[in-house]
Amino acid sequence: MATIDVTGQSFAQTLENNGIVFVDFWAAWCGPCRMFAPTYGAAAQRHPDITFAKVDTEAEQALAAAANITSIPTLMAFKDKTLVFSQPGALNATGLEEVIQAVKNLDMDKLRAEAGHQRT
């Protein structure tokens, strides 16, 4: 599956309608963003069960601010509408694949139980 462009209007709906969503926050002027784009696009093709979204931080400044983006590229991963990964900097193909597998293998029930346990 190809990457999709996400806006402030479609961000919440994208998270709501998809189990796993990776989001690449980028800008056209950013060299590392341009270098990461083919790696991200190739991962999207290899993992059609995951939604790979892109947010242009120049066009979507309010969304970037709401996501506390201070450096680009920044990659975020959401599973079951929960942020489970956030890291600035471009990953190589191996690093991205490791993050993808870790997110896929993440036990959300266990994570929620641990989070609930810490609150008591």
Side-chain angles (χ1 to χ4, degrees):
M1 188 165 98
T3 61
I4 61 169
D5 292 323
V6 175
T7 65
Q9 289 77 29
S10 63
F11 188 80
Q13 183 178 0
T14 300
L15 295 183
E16 185 71 35
N17 295 339
N18 299 281
I20 298 176
V21 179
F22 277 76
V23 184
D24 173 24
F25 289 87
W26 67 283
W29 53 262
C30 167
C33 299
R34 290 193 309 270
M35 288 174 40
F36 180 59
T39 302
Y40 191 70
Q45 295 298 325
R46 281 194 311 275
H47 298 279
D49 56 324
I50 296 175
T51 300
F52 286 83
K54 294 179 72 67
V55 174
D56 180 347
T57 57
E58 290 294 309
E60 296 295 329
Q61 292 181 11
L63 178 55
N68 295 316
I69 302 301
T70 58
S71 178
I72 54 172
T74 290
L75 180 65
M76 290 185 172
F78 296 83
K79 187 168 184 179
D80 297 344
K81 300 176 276 191
T82 301
L83 178 64
V84 295
F85 178 84
S86 180
Q87 177 179 306
L91 294 170
N92 62 27
T94 302
L96 179 56
E97 191 62 32
E98 288 173 0
V99 172
I100 290 167
Q101 291 307 319
V103 171
K104 280 186 171 185
N105 295 333
L106 194 58
D107 183 338
M108 293 304 290
D109 291 332
K110 182 178 177 186
L111 190 67
R112 286 186 199 98
E114 289 172 357
H117 213 33
Q118 291 174 355
R119 290 188 190 134
T120 57

